[in-house]
Structures are given as C-alpha cells and as structure tokens.
C-alpha cells in the first residue's frame, strides 16, 4: 500500500522562474506582514 | 561529471529547537543527495546554529527586531512593514529554486512560500483564492494530526526527513549513496571558539581526564516546561555526593540567572558539597560556547528545551525531565540511549495548555530521587546491560515509591528492516492508555500512507501493556471502527460515481437537468457521509484522526473540474479507508494478544494448563 505519489511529490510547477499563476503578490505580502506581526506580538507578550 | 546543483530553500521561522531538528533532517538528505545546494531562511535570533554548518550554502535571516521593533513600540505604522518585507523578499523571489521546503508549519510562513517561485514546494503554502494549503501528503498529516492535537508517535525529525527524501526520490530518483552515514556527530558544527572556550576547556573545564561532566540546562521557554531549581539542586547534591568523578556545568540564558542563583545557594548550603565541582555559565554562552560545552559533556539534563536537540545533534546523551504540555514522542531527544522521565498521571493543566506553572501537578510528580535513579541506571548500562529491570534498580536504591508516579522511556533508533526512525521504549510497567495505543496505531497508519511500507502490526506492543481497561476500550472501538470503514468506503464509491458522471459531461456548467440532479444528489450524499464521520469522531475520540484528516484532505483537493475533484476525493477516501483497515488489524491483534495462553502444550501432559491473562467476554 502507499499513498498516490501525487500527494507525496509536493506542489509541482512547470517552471521555477515564474511566480505562482493566479496568486496576487500584493495580497500575499499584506498577509505575510499581518501574520508575522501577529506572531511577533504573541512572542513578546 | 559533477551533477548540476539542486537548489533547495528551507524556510524555518520557528524556534531554535525546530532549527536544530531541521538541520538533522537536512544532513540526512544532503548525505544521500550531495548535489543539494541548501539555502536556509530563519529568524536572526536563531541563525547561530545554521551559520555554523559547513554544508549549508547560505543562511538568510529575517531581521525580526529591525522589522517589528519600531512597529510594536509605536514608532512606525503597520503599513510601513509591507514595502520593507517586499525589499527583504525580492532577492529570494528573483532566484530560481528547484525546491522550496516550508518546515515552519505556520500561517505566516505559508504566505512566504507562496511568494517564492519553485519547481517543487513542500509544507504550507497558499491557494489561488488566498486560503492556506498543504503542498504534500505529510503536510496533510502535520496539519490534521500533529497540529490537530491527535496523539501519534512519529518524531518530527523523522517526519521532516521522510517528507523531503520522498519528494527527492520522486523527482531526482534513487540516491547513489547507501544512507548509512551517521547524521549526528561531535563535529556537526564548525564552531568559532574564542578565549572563553579555552578557559572552560583548560581551566575549570574538561581537561582533567578522570572527570566526567554533566550539563544542566536550567529553565525552558515556558515555566511549565521547566523543573524547579530546587529539584535540580537536590538531584545535583545526590550525584556529587555519590559520584566524586562528576562535575556539573550549569547552562541557560540571562533570563535563567535567578534559577542559577537558587540552585547554587542550595548547593552551598550543604557543607558536604565541594563548590568547585559546579561551574555556572548561565547567561554567558553564545551558540558556539553552548554547543562546545554540550558536545564535551557526557550527559545533558534538561526539560523540553532546544538543548535536548543540540545534544541529540552532537551525540551527547540526554536525561529529559519532561514536564508541561509536551509530546515527547514527537519532540524528545533523538538518537540511541536517551532517557525521558514524565509523570504517569493525567495533568489537567497540560490538557488545557495552562501557562501558569503552579497549576501543573506533573512538575511535582517527578522527584529528584526518581531522576537520580533513572540517570544512575542509564549511566551504568555498560555493567547491567539492561538485564536488570529499572524497577529493580529503584528497589535496590530503596526508592520504589518514586517510580510509581512516573513513566521512563529510553530512545532507540529502529533498524532499517524495522522501518527506521526513533522509538521510545517504556521501561516501567504501567497500564497503557487508549491514547498511547492509538498513537502507535496512528504512527503505523502514517508510515503506510507516506512510506509505502510498514512493519508487522503490533510489533512494539507487548502483552503486558494490555490491561483490562485498555481491552474494554478497544472492544468498544472495534464496533465503531467497523462503521468508520464502511463510511469511508461509501465516500470513496460516491466520489467515484461523481467522477464517472462528470466524465460524461461536455461542460461543467451547461448540462441536462437530469444530469444536474444526479450530480446534486451525489453531492448531498457526500455531505451526509462527511457529517456522519464527524459525528462518529465526536462519539469516539479515538477516531478523530480520520475525521480531521478527511477535512484537511477535502480542503486541499486540487483540480479544475468536477471530474478531477471527484477523482481526487476518491483517492483521498481510499487512503483513509486503507488506514481504517490497519486500525482494525491493530484491534484484532490486540484482542488476540489478550486471549488465554497455554503454558504447556506437551502432548504427554495430563492436561494443558490454560491461564487467562485477562477476563474475556
């Protein structure tokens, strides 16, 4: 038995030189900033 | 011809302990795939360890203090953070990565992973709709089981190692190396040692050949995970009085100064203790000195701290006094011959993740006498070769009562033939709980799902561990697991029907009314089954793992149309059903273990004496 290798290989892109198609870079950056800040607040309290 | 470098970026934004576990996993991967060019992203505060590893090409630090300090102090607005982060990310986003491996398993790290272009990604990332996503199967498991609060017994270092190696094997092929090289080593780090280290090594340090050193790491990130300094001091007094060849070195950060003072005051109050036998380096060690000291000591004593991972990397034996909300099977010391002591009684504060240390009764149930008995047993393994049970050792010391409220486990690395990975063997007889039993089952199921190979069912389950209480719980689970298997099979069949129906459609949007109705009916049926799975998990918490895995897998379905989604749903439920079959095999095996056994089977015996181990139904 074993899981379908689809689940083991990770998320695969055709090329590594293009960003993820369909992802909004600005939204991701805002999300990253908010999440890191929340983590930092939690660590310092 | 030298192979083209395979460029791997690892994101580890958690704490130092996680960094050290990641380094161990990376070392194993790098030994098998020397063509890996490893780049490591971590917080500036915890960069010391990665910076001292020669086979890491580049350490990229996230300057948390500079980025967040002004905002947290109110000197800058939150809006200023986005362009600063963009400037920090730009050099990473401009590069061509073969692999981006996110081992942080946090919300924040998923955004970073999504921002970086790579041929293959592992760990948390983001979907096109912005929601968090698992890039691979092991990440399903981490989210649903490890972070979902379900007991399981695969060490995090083994999860990380297997996750990466499996992906490398799929994409790069089998490794040419045999994989038998040791991962841990005294020379794991290239330390840069200054005069302070010379003073430790030459002055009060390890220059006397007859002296043995024990490092005690005082304190932990959370108070509940640290043993009281008075307990450490009582343990130290016992050791120093009985073992004149031992010296102690205290380790800790600046925040541990008060603990060190209390410890030293307690030792000084005892006139029988030579104060020169204890050296305090609390608040004085950078990463290099800390690693040098831990590496040169014979033992490290510690709670749940990064020090146990450092000692594991360096091959120094560990006595882990494990208190507070810790799952040592996942994050305990890694390697052979480490000992973990933990309270055997349920701790309500641990269950509720209480931060107030005084609420944690588990901290008081481990006595210094129990810690001494365990260490003296462990450090004399060469003489008794573990043929003397630990219980006998406690009794010989006159401290049997101190063994009643604790579990003691000894770590060992399984042979490759037994599946590899670290395993913690219990050394004191205590009834096994259903949660303990279930964690073994879950570990077995995960290895079947993600390693494609499993050892024999119940390999590490002894007959003695199965007591009437556990047996009763397993009998109850037997019936419910049958329902689980049936539901998972129905889900798989429904998903396959959805896939078959969708395959015949010319469009996902425009279809015959009858087709739409049939697809809606299949969707309703699938929702009903999911609801029943959730209800089953509420009734029987031991089955929560399957319902949580189903939720995570359904959230992470990939596909552009109904056919793809139906197919992937069917694959997911097939995986879960195969897991349920393993669970049922474990139930059958455990019930069989508890059946009466014939003590003699000689044909000439007047009658075979049959002894019931446990009352049967």
């Amino acid at each position: 038995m074993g899981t379908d290798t689809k689940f083991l290989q990770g998320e695969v892109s055709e090329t590594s030189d293009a960003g993820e198609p369909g992802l909004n870079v600005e939204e991701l950056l805002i999300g990253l900033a908010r999440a890191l800040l929340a983590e930092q607040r939690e660590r310092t309290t | 011809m030298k192979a083209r470098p395979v460029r791997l970026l690892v994101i580890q934004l958690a704490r130092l302990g996680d960094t050290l576990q990641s380094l161990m996993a990376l070392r194993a991967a790098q030994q098998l795939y020397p063509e890996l060019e490893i780049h490591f992203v971590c917080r500036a505060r915890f960069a010391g360890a990665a910076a001292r590893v020669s086979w890491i090409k580049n350490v990229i630090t996230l300057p948390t203090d500079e980025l967040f300090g002004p905002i947290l102090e109110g000197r800058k607005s939150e809006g200023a953070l986005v362009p600063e982060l963009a400037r920090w990310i730009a050099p990473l986003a401009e590069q061509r990565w073969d692999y981006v491996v996110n081992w942080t398993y946090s919300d924040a790290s998923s955004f970073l992973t999504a921002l970086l272009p790579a041929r293959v990604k592992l760990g948390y990332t983001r979907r096109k709709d912005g929601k968090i996503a698992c890039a691979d199967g092991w990440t399903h498991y981490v989210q649903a089981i490890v972070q979902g609060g379900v007991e399981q017994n695969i060490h995090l270092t083994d999860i990380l190692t297997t996750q990466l190696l499996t992906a490398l094997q799929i994409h790069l092929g089998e490794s040419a190396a045999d994989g038998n090289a040791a991962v841990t080593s005294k020379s794991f780090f290239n330390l840069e040692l200054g005069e302070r280290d010379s003073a430790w090594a030459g002055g009060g340090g390890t220059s006397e050949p007859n002296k043995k050193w024990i490092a005690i790491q005082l304190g932990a990130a959370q108070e509940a995970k640290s043993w009281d300094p008075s307990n450490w001091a009582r343990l130290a007094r016992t050791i120093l009085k009985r073992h004149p060849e031992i010296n102690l070195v205290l380790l800790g950060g600046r925040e541990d100064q008060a603990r060190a003072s209390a410890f030293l005051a307690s030792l000084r109050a005892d006139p029988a203790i030579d104060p020169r036998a204890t050296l305090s380096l609390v608040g004085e060690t950078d990463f290099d000195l800390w690693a040098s000291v831990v590496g040169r000591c014979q033992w490290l004593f510690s709670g749940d701290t990064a020090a146990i991972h450092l000692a594991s990397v360096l091959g120094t034996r560990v006595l882990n006094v494990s208190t507070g909300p810790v799952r040592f099977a996942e994050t305990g010391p890694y390697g052979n011959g480490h000992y973990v002591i933990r309270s055997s009684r349920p701790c309500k504060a641990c269950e509720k993740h209480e931060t107030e240390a005084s609420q944690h009764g588990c901290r008081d149930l481990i006595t210094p006498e129990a810690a001494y008995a365990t260490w003296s047993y462990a450090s004399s393994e060469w003489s008794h070769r573990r043929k003397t049970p630990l219980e006998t050792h406690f009794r010989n010391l006159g401290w049997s009562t101190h063994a009643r409220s604790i579990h003691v486990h000894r770590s060992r690395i399984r042979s490759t033939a037994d599946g590899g990975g670290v395993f913690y063997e219990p050394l004191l007889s205590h009834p096994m709980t259903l949660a303990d039993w279930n964690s073994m089952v879950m570990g077995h199921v995960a290895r079947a799902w993600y390693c494609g190979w499993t050892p024999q069912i119940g390999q590490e389950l002894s007959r003695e561990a199965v007591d009437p209480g556990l047996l009763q719980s397993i009998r109850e689970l037997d019936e419910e697991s049958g329902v689980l298997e049936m539901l998972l099979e129905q889900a798989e069949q429904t998903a396959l029907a959805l896939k078959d129906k969708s395959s015949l459609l010319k469009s996902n949007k425009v279809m015959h009314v009858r087709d739409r109705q049939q697809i809606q009916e299949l969707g309703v049926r699938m929702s009903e089954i999911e609801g029943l799975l959730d209800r089953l998990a509420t009734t029987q918490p031991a089955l929560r793992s399957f319902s949580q895995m189903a939720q995570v897998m359904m959230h992470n379905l990939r596909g552009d149309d109904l056919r793809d989604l139906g197919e992937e749903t069917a694959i997911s439920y097939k995986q879960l059903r195969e897991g349920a079959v393993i669970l049922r095999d474990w139930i059958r095996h455990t019930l069989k273990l508890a059946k009466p056994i014939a003590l003699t089977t000689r044909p000439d015996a007047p009658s075979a004496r049959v002894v019931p181990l446990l009352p049967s139904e």
Side-chain angles (χ1 to χ4, degrees), chain B residues 180-346:
Chain B
N180 289 329
V183 169
T184 61
S185 147
K186 293 284 177 202
S187 55
F188 192 96
F189 300 104
N190 287 341
L191 301 175
E192 291 181 7
L193 298 162
E195 286 175 9
R196 286 174 307 136
D197 185 65
S198 309
W200 138 257
T206 54
S207 63
E208 294 174 62
N210 297 329
K211 286 284 180 189
K212 289 180 179 169
W213 284 81
I214 295 173
I216 301 179
Q217 183 79 30
L218 294 168
Q222 293 172 34
E223 188 69 22
K225 293 182 181 178
S226 65
W227 211 28
D228 196 89
S230 63
N231 284 333
W232 284 123
R234 248 170 73 196
L235 170 61
R237 285 204 303 273
T238 311
I239 290 176
L240 293 175
K241 281 178 187 169
R242 293 179 180 226
H243 304 268
E245 77 282 10
I246 299 282
N247 275 5
L248 303 175
V249 54
L250 300 187
L251 297 171
R254 287 191 193 93
E255 66 283 4
D256 295 317
Q257 295 284 15
R259 288 191 179 100
S261 300
F263 178 99
L264 291 168
S266 173
L267 248 61
R268 283 191 203 107
D270 191 333
I273 300 292
D274 179 356
R276 290 171 303 176
T278 305
L279 174 70
S280 176
L281 294 176
V282 172
E284 294 176 26
T285 52
D286 55 11
F287 177 78
D288 296 73
L289 182 56
W290 184 49
S292 169
V293 172
V294 170
R296 289 180 199 217
C297 286
Q298 275 73 32
W299 281 90
L300 169 82
F301 293 179
S302 176
D304 181 51
T305 67
I308 64 173
H309 304 300
L310 178 64
S312 302
V313 167
L314 296 169
T316 298
R317 293 182 77 187
V318 176
L319 178 74
N320 177 204
V321 179
S322 176
T323 64
V326 175
R327 301 205 302 195
F328 72 88
E330 291 174 359
T331 58
Y334 194 95
N336 280 313
H338 302 303
Y339 278 68
V340 181
I341 314 177
R342 191 153 174 84
S343 157
S344 59
R345 311 255 168 92

Side-chain angles (χ1 to χ4, degrees), chain B residues 41-55:
Chain B
V41 179
C42 59
R43 288 174 190 263
R45 194 178 159 202
F46 304 126
R52 295 289 181 258
V53 175
S54 62
W55 39 268

Side-chain angles (χ1 to χ4, degrees), chain B residues 112-128:
Chain B
L112 179 56
T113 309
L115 280 160
L116 301 177
R119 200 161 62 83
V120 178
K121 290 182 184 179
L122 301 175
Y124 284 162
T125 182
R126 291 270 150 183
R127 299 195 311 206
K128 285 175 191 168

Side-chain angles (χ1 to χ4, degrees), chain A residues 3 5 8-9 11 14-15 18 20 22 29 33-34 38-39 45:
Chain A
T3 300
T5 54
L8 296 171
Q9 65 183 353
E11 186 180 283
E14 291 299 316
T15 61
E20 291 301 322
L29 271 171
R34 282 185 181 151
E39 278 181 12
T45 51

